[in-house]
Amino acid sequence: MSNNVIWTVEAKIRPGQREAFDAVMHDLIAASQQEAGTINYEWTLGADETTVHVYERYADADAATAHLGTWGPNAERFAAAAEVTRFVVFSELTPALRDAVAGLQPVYMTPFGGFAK
């Protein structure tokens, strides 16, 4: 199995907050693009134009932790513009990383097969 850390964030844009959401999304993408260990950081929008899905993949726990440093200063803006409805983790997390994301009430999926290239 890979040491990658993979999780997804699902959120709903709050009514009247699309412009604020787009601004915080832009800032988060720009900052995350500079993170050495960020492999994927992909945002998608549902047909209802309020459901957002973010696929995140990091090289390892250190890279995921570094990303949380980018997230932190933007968390309040994100929360004002959208509500996180689901946070799913697809990797084994270190105890420190588990503690760091606990507030998002993660759903943990246990890896048990497959491969990453």
Side-chain angles (χ1 to χ4, degrees):
M1 289 300 208
S2 165
N3 286 332
N4 290 172
V5 171
I6 302 167
W7 59 55
T8 59
V9 178
E10 294 176 24
K12 278 284 206 190
I13 300 171
R14 297 182 191 281
Q17 294 300 310
R18 178 61 189 267
E19 190 173 313
F21 181 83
D22 288 351
V24 72
M25 177 188 68
H26 172 78
D27 292 349
L28 281 164
I29 291 170
S32 298
Q33 197 166 23
Q34 303 305 310
E35 299 167 349
T38 299
I39 299 169
N40 296 84
Y41 195 63
E42 302 173 33
W43 296 57
T44 56
L45 185 64
D48 65 2
E49 296 195 14
T50 64
T51 302
V52 176
H53 186 266
V54 186
Y55 173 77
E56 304 181 34
R57 181 175 170 208
Y58 303 96
D60 54 28
D62 289 340
T65 301
H67 173 72
L68 294 178
T70 298
W71 164 255
N74 293 286
E76 189 173 311
R77 288 175 56 214
F78 185 96
E83 176 186 3
V84 174
T85 56
R86 187 171 166 124
F87 182 78
V88 182
V89 178
F90 299 94
S91 310
E92 299 287 338
L93 298 187
T94 63
L97 197 48
R98 272 183 172 263
D99 289 347
V101 300
L104 294 169
Q105 300 176 333
V107 172
Y108 287 96
M109 303 297 291
T110 302
F112 73 103
F115 65 92
K117 290 185 179 185

